[in-house]
Amino acid sequence: MRAAGEERTTDMVWSGSWVTERLGVELIGDGRPDGDRELRELLGLALRRNPKRAHLLVSNVLGKHVPQKPSVVYGAGFELGRRVRALLGEAEARRAVVLGYAETATGLGHAVADGLGVAPYLHSTRRPVDGVARAGGFEESHSHATSHLLLPEDPALLAGGRGDGEAPGAVADAPDAVAEQSSAVADAPLVLVDDEFSTGNTVLNTIRALHERYPRGRYVVVALVDMRSPADRVRLAAFAAEIGARVDLVARCSGTVTLPDGVLEKGRALVAAQEQAGSGGREAESPGLEAESSGPEADSLHRDSDSPGPAAGSLGPKSDSPGPEADSPGPAAVVGTERRTCTRVDLRWPAGVPDGGRHGFTPAHRAALERALPAMADRVAAALGGARRVLVLGFEELMYAPLRLAAALEERTDAETRYSTTTRSPVLAVDDPGYAIRSRLVFPAHDNPADGPGDRYAYNVAGAGFDAVVVTVDSAADTPELHAPDGLLARLAAHTDRVLLAVVPSYVPSYARPCTPAHALDPHVFDPGAPDSYVPDSPDPYVSDPHVSERQEPPTVLPEPLRGPAFSSYAPDEVGWLLQDLSHVELEAPVEEREEAIQSGGAHYAESLPVEYQPSDQYQSLFKAALELSAARVARAVGTVTETVLAERTPRPVLVSLVRAGTPVGILMRRWARHRHGLDLPHYAVSIVRGRGIDANALRWLAAHHDPADVVFVDGWTGKGAITRELTEALAEFDGTKGPEEAEGVVRAGGSGGFDPEIAVLADPGGCVRTYGTREDFLIPSACLNSTVSGLVSRTVLRSDLVGPDEFHGAKFYRELADSDVSGHFLDTVTACFDEVADAVDAEVAALPAADRTPTWEGWAAVERISEEHGIHDVNLVKPGVGETTRVLLRRVPWKILARRGAGADLDHIRLLARQRGVPIEEVDELPYTCVGLIHPKYTRGATGANGRAVEPK
């Protein structure tokens, strides 16, 4: 199949030449005579704001960043599916299951599944769905949004069962071939589909995660382009041998990317220079789209993608003749500022057919959709009127439904039809024919995303000459933000004659409880700029849909916090624990036994507790010596972070520490505020569990008793930044649920229920936050011990048989360890140093406004490098910093310790623990942390991944 624009290669500037000329990034083919040309026809280059990769490979046939003929986009994936079918053979192809990657490859993977013939399809997602259990997860380390979730409606889909029987509402007369495949088949081949295969890390992470829980004998990796280095190819072969499975690769085109030294720094500087040269608005780096056309006047068409043209009230020329291929944006239409309307098109989406593969898409679903597509395309065509150049614009992970709709429209009308989708990925736009991203539209997220509010983008749409745009979203994204004056519909209305909105019902498994936006039930024509265009009589933006169950109301009565001495050895005014007491439950297990259970996928790390390490007399003496040595240093960091919070966040903060490393820090911050300012700050401790989020009931209690805007979350230190990310995602997910406002009169502010996800930490060696006491990696003595320095409280526990839906997470109070308790001694020793560090704190706080405290995530980058250098290839095995290394030695099965050469007394306790457990310490140069702990691969290769469970095999 010809790549986009192949017939015009000699007349066009390659859309990667701008980046190549300035950064030296080059695409080199696979050595075949036409290899270079084919690669350049398939890909262009752009720059992006990403600390891990400066460049972006922009596909001309993916339908994400570059508007393209839908038949070309669908055909590219379908043909790859045919090649996989030939590779597997008919019998194996009929047993295969296809898994696509969010967000970019969701549509591509679906087309590959169609090419296979009868393969069920599932894609990963970054959108948690209430009531749907996670069947797995993995990390995409180079991405701007790393965590992927797997949410199949039928877990048998990943376990080898096909799960392709008829779904509720699907037609009963599916082809016989579908019915023949309905029985579960063990060890079915798994086909993994991504848009590009660059290093192989994402695929390795995925296969590790899935093979641990659902082992099978064969995997097929599919991509449009294979750009791996020789070393990456060797690594994949070794990995396949290690797990005892066959791993094949199918790609449309292959080659390599050459990156000169310093390209990341040069890329950042180039992006900064382009942004500075821009217009200075939200889209300052996108000065417009210089439309490429066959006429000599093309270079004179220049327009900012965020503003209407200079001729207010007038419309530019329409394209009445077949335009260029999609990689050429086409003539620009100058759109006036008059108010425009958006017409809602009722697709009459077939009942029971999912909007995509988030929860699985079966051959029965496919058969029902095929029959419904012509009529849906006719309804869209009728609403288009006389439009000649049409864009069907999909939405982030929703790629397949709008693609198939666009392809049907292309077949059934004479309109020149193109297809692309919006995206989460921020990319620099440059108005140059040699650059792949010519313009961009920026608009707010409109689907209540789990990672909170933020900008979203549509590329190469502004100025592309479309006289109609059909926006296709799922009903979860049909929100007031979509229709707001600065929303996507309004942005598009400034650049096209007509905007249509087609809403596909968001499919949610029957056991979950969805709700539908009120305006999604209203099919009338509406104005995207008018705030009163929604259903007027509903005080809540969500109303009950008669076709779904009403949402479950949250608990209206929550228990009061636990306090010492009944729970914990801290004084009752020091902290209130938003936990339940599970001291009566036997939860401890030996470290090795616990790790093996986690590794097998049979247990989440928060479902049990490690046996509390009881330090020897030698270790206790070492702790006391370390405390005397570092108490002033800790006090200084406490003072700096507390003063920063008071100056920049709120004068009356409500401190909420994350159990348990954050709780001593929260108490010390409370003591500093009283000592220096006479403030008596509330302080609570809450549970947060990696992969499961923060305790939502604790958040509801806080919202009922305090202004969420005053809440400041506190932790001890950052490592990679996993908890920082977890908190952001958890608060965003909480914002999408309804708290007890109706019952308790709570009025929550916007964004994450009014809670600020920015965490305050004592030490930030990972460069993950803006509010910290120091960014040095030093010994915080509270990291040396477990419960005996944390009020005799255990780690938190979250287990369904112990924690009900209306209850706080649990923890244990180890009263029997009172003789070893040094919690008060630690606090008092640090507090005694407050006066001596006061002047230093004042000087540091005075210098903060001029300091650049932007999170750099340098820790994450360092962990990735260490993971690769030591042959681990999984960041979850690497625990950076003194605090995390101590945890590895106290709670886990350590492999070895990396220590910065000449680290000194900060590592005395690490050296002692390592000797006691027989763990080698390697001194290394240029280590960004004082030390790094590596978990032993025998027990935890993959340790706990995106969902808190094991993700690698032994």
Side-chain angles (χ1 to χ4, degrees):
M1 181 177 292
R2 186 179 67 235
E6 182 174 335
E7 75 278 14
R8 299 184 295 118
T9 302
T10 57
D11 299 325
M12 291 179 57
V13 177
W14 175 48
S15 63
S17 59
W18 192 92
V19 174
T20 295
E21 291 168 1
R22 287 159 178 79
L23 293 186
V25 177
E26 294 186 356
L27 304 186
I28 300 175
D30 56 7
R32 294 180 296 111
D34 291 335
D36 288 355
R37 178 182 61 82
E38 290 181 2
L39 200 60
R40 291 189 173 201
E41 286 172 348
L42 198 62
L43 298 173
L45 290 173
L47 300 179
R48 59 181 178 177
R49 299 191 200 94
N50 189 311
K52 302 165 187 176
R53 289 186 188 175
H55 69 283
L56 177 70
L57 301 178
V58 180
S59 173
N60 291 320
V61 301
L62 184 63
K64 174 56 73 172
H65 303 87
V66 178
Q68 178 58 277
K69 287 183 176 180
S71 56
V72 171
V73 177
Y74 185 67
F78 192 89
E79 178 60 28
L80 285 171
R82 288 299 190 199
R83 289 178 56 184
V84 175
R85 185 173 179 174
L87 172 69
L88 292 175
E90 289 295 323
E92 285 295 279
R94 293 172 70 85
R95 295 177 350 110
V97 176
V98 180
L99 174 63
Y101 286 87
E103 69 178 43
T104 308
T106 58
L108 177 66
H110 216 142
V112 169
D114 288 357
L116 267 166
V118 294
Y121 177 64
L122 175 73
H123 69 69
S124 67
T125 181
R126 295 189 174 107
R127 180 197 288 178
V129 179
D130 289 342
V132 181
R134 302 179 184 185
F138 53 90
E139 299 293 322
E140 183 180 7
S141 58
H142 69 271
S143 175
H144 63 283
T146 64
S147 294
H148 290 245
L149 307 174
L150 297 176
L151 306 176
E153 180 173 16
D154 180 3
L157 191 64
L158 288 173
R162 291 297 305 270
D164 54 1
E166 293 179 7
V171 292
D173 56 344
D176 291 341
V178 173
E180 292 173 3
Q181 299 299 324
S182 60
S183 60
V185 181
D187 199 28
L190 182 64
V191 180
L192 301 105
V193 183
D194 206 353
D195 59 317
E196 64 176 85
F197 198 34
S198 52
T199 65
N201 285 339
T202 300
V203 168
L204 291 182
N205 286 342
T206 310
I207 296 178
R208 284 189 182 108
L210 295 177
H211 198 78
E212 179 66 26
R213 300 184 65 183
Y214 316 110
R216 64 189 76 227
R218 189 166 191 181
Y219 298 87
V220 181
V221 180
V222 181
L224 287 170
V225 290
D226 176 9
M227 307 298 285
R228 291 174 299 157
S229 68
D232 292 328
R233 297 172 188 269
V234 170
R235 183 154 56 90
L236 179 62
F239 169 71
E242 175 190 336
I243 65 173
R246 177 174 175 178
V247 182
D248 295 297
L249 182 78
V250 174
R252 173 168 172 164
C253 194
S254 61
T256 56
V257 181
T258 61
L259 302 174
D261 293 339
V263 67
L264 197 57
E265 293 75 15
K266 293 177 182 177
R268 289 175 184 151
L270 186 55
V271 170
Q274 290 294 314
E275 291 176 338
Q276 186 175 5
S279 62
R282 288 183 69 191
E283 300 172 347
E285 72 278 20
S286 177
L289 175 61
E290 186 173 303
E292 180 180 296
S293 69
S294 58
E297 74 282 7
D299 287 345
S300 67
L301 296 174
H302 182 274
R303 178 162 49 80
D304 190 307
S305 63
D306 188 33
S307 61
S314 66
L315 297 177
K318 296 180 182 178
S319 176
D320 293 325
S321 59
E325 291 292 327
D327 53 350
S328 172
V334 181
V335 181
T337 57
E338 71 273 13
R339 191 181 181 106
R340 299 186 182 277
T341 61
C342 175
T343 302
R344 188 183 293 268
V345 179
D346 183 7
L347 291 176
R348 300 180 193 173
W349 186 263
V353 175
D355 52 293
R358 182 176 288 109
H359 305 297
F361 197 96
T362 70
H365 294 141
R366 185 178 297 120
L369 178 61
E370 293 289 344
R371 282 191 293 273
L373 276 170
M376 289 193 289
D378 288 344
R379 294 183 189 103
V380 173
L384 285 172
R388 299 293 302 165
R389 183 169 168 81
V390 177
L391 173 68
V392 178
L393 185 65
F395 157 65
E396 297 185 25
E397 293 179 11
L398 186 74
M399 297 186 70
Y400 182 72
L403 172 60
R404 297 305 311 278
L405 183 65
L409 195 65
E410 183 182 20
E411 291 178 355
R412 301 177 69 80
T413 70
D414 295 329
E416 180 186 344
T417 306
R418 296 292 183 267
Y419 160 80
S420 64
T421 70
T422 64
T423 176
R424 302 162 60 98
S425 179
V427 185
L428 178 73
V430 176
D431 183 16
D432 190 283
Y435 190 82
I437 303 297
R438 304 289 302 279
S439 73
R440 73 175 196 168
L441 296 175
V442 185
F443 53 92
H446 53 90
D447 64 334
N448 297 317
D451 56 353
D455 286 341
R456 299 295 185 262
Y457 311 92
Y459 295 111
N460 292 326
V461 176
F466 296 113
D467 48 14
V469 178
V470 183
V471 180
T472 309
V473 302
D474 58 15
S475 56
D478 185 19
T479 62
E481 289 80 6
L482 175 67
H483 305 273
D486 63 342
L488 172 60
L489 300 180
R491 292 288 193 205
L492 291 169
H495 299 283
T496 187
D497 295 353
R498 182 175 305 202
V499 178
L500 275 63
L501 177 64
V503 179
V504 179
S506 296
Y507 181 80
V508 178
S510 58
Y511 52 78
R513 292 179 176 270
C515 56
T516 303
H519 46 283
L521 306 177
D522 182 17
H524 71 278
V525 176
F526 63 95
D527 183 338
D532 57 351
S533 59
Y534 309 118
V535 175
D537 295 328
S538 176
D540 190 321
Y542 290 90
V543 297
S544 297
D545 183 339
H547 301 292
V548 299
S549 301
E550 291 190 358
R551 63 181 185 273
Q552 184 177 2
E553 291 298 325
T556 57
V557 178
L558 292 169
E560 289 300 304
L562 301 173
R563 296 187 182 272
F567 187 85
S568 89
S569 60
Y570 293 134
D573 62 334
E574 299 267 36
V575 59
W577 303 85
L578 295 176
L579 298 170
Q580 63 167 307
D581 189 355
L582 297 180
S583 301
H584 61 286
V585 182
E586 187 68 29
L587 292 167
E588 293 77 8
V591 170
E592 292 81 3
E593 179 180 316
R594 188 169 178 267
E595 292 287 357
E596 188 169 2
I598 295 171
Q599 175 203 16
S600 70
H604 188 283
Y605 80 89
E607 293 174 357
S608 63
L609 292 173
V611 176
E612 282 284 312
Y613 173 81
Q614 291 307 298
S616 63
D617 291 341
Q618 182 184 7
Y619 190 84
Q620 286 277 26
S621 299
L622 193 62
F623 163 79
K624 293 176 182 178
L627 177 57
E628 291 176 3
L629 182 68
S630 61
R633 199 174 181 183
V634 174
R636 181 172 173 174
V638 168
T640 299
V641 70
T642 308
E643 296 291 347
T644 303
V645 167
L646 293 172
E648 298 182 353
R649 299 285 289 276
T650 171
R652 299 287 299 185
V654 177
L655 303 177
V656 177
S657 59
L658 304 181
V659 179
R660 76 185 156 181
T663 303
V665 178
I667 294 175
L668 286 170
M669 291 176 66
R670 183 178 183 277
R671 287 188 177 189
W672 179 277
R674 174 183 286 178
H675 182 78
R676 290 296 304 275
H677 304 286
L679 297 175
D680 191 10
L681 302 181
H683 175 216
Y684 306 94
V686 302
S687 167
I688 186 168
V689 176
R690 185 157 55 90
R692 295 188 178 180
I694 199 166
D695 188 339
N697 286 326
L699 293 182
R700 293 185 180 107
W701 190 95
L702 289 167
H705 293 80
H706 299 280
D707 184 351
D710 288 336
V711 169
V712 177
F713 292 96
V714 174
D715 205 358
W717 57 84
T718 64
K720 295 187 294 288
I723 290 298
T724 305
R725 294 180 175 185
E726 184 74 33
L727 179 64
T728 300
E729 294 172 1
L731 290 177
E733 185 173 354
F734 176 76
D735 195 32
T737 66
K738 295 299 177 183
E741 298 92 337
E742 296 87 350
E744 301 183 46
V746 177
V747 179
R748 297 190 304 186
S752 300
F755 293 107
D756 187 345
E758 183 180 345
I759 198 169
V761 298
L762 198 62
D764 181 35
C768 306
V769 299
R770 293 187 72 258
T771 307
Y772 53 83
T774 179
R775 275 189 167 156
E776 296 178 0
D777 182 20
F778 74 103
L779 171 60
I780 301 172
S782 59
C784 291
L785 302 170
N786 287 323
S787 68
T788 54
V789 78
S790 303
L792 300 182
V793 175
S794 73
R795 294 187 63 182
T796 58
V797 174
L798 179 58
R799 212 169 76 188
S800 59
D801 61 330
L802 298 174
V803 179
D806 298 349
E807 298 175 316
F808 296 137
H809 294 186
K812 297 185 73 169
F813 174 29
Y814 292 115
R815 298 171 177 85
E816 66 274 20
L817 300 181
D819 290 342
S820 302
D821 188 22
V822 293
S823 303
H825 175 64
F826 168 72
L827 296 173
D828 293 341
T829 303
V830 174
T831 302
C833 297
F834 282 174
D835 285 335
E836 73 174 85
V837 302
D839 291 342
V841 169
D842 291 341
E844 286 183 355
V845 173
L848 284 179
D852 183 4
R853 290 179 287 149
T854 304
T856 62
W857 295 93
E858 292 179 357
W860 188 274
V863 166
E864 288 185 318
R865 176 178 59 80
I866 292 168
S867 174
E868 296 301 311
E869 287 178 353
H870 289 265
I872 299 173
H873 311 305
D874 191 329
V875 295
N876 292 304
L877 283 168
V878 182
K879 304 296 183 181
V882 177
E884 293 302 310
T885 302
T886 303
R887 287 179 169 184
V888 169
L889 289 164
L890 291 177
R891 306 177 186 171
R892 310 299 288 273
V893 181
W895 178 24
K896 56 185 174 181
I897 307 300
L898 307 180
R900 184 191 298 156
R901 197 177 306 279
D906 272 348
L907 295 190
D908 282 350
H909 76 294
I910 294 288
R911 297 184 184 98
L912 177 60
L913 285 174
R915 285 198 303 270
Q916 290 176 347
R917 301 199 64 181
V919 179
I921 296 179
E922 295 181 9
E923 290 197 344
V924 296
D925 296 315
E926 299 181 356
L927 191 67
Y929 295 90
T930 304
C931 60
V932 175
L934 306 182
I935 297 175
H936 202 300
K938 178 179 179 182
Y939 291 97
T940 56
R941 292 193 69 173
T944 52
N947 66 345
R949 293 179 181 270
V951 297
E952 280 194 34
K954 291 182 181 178

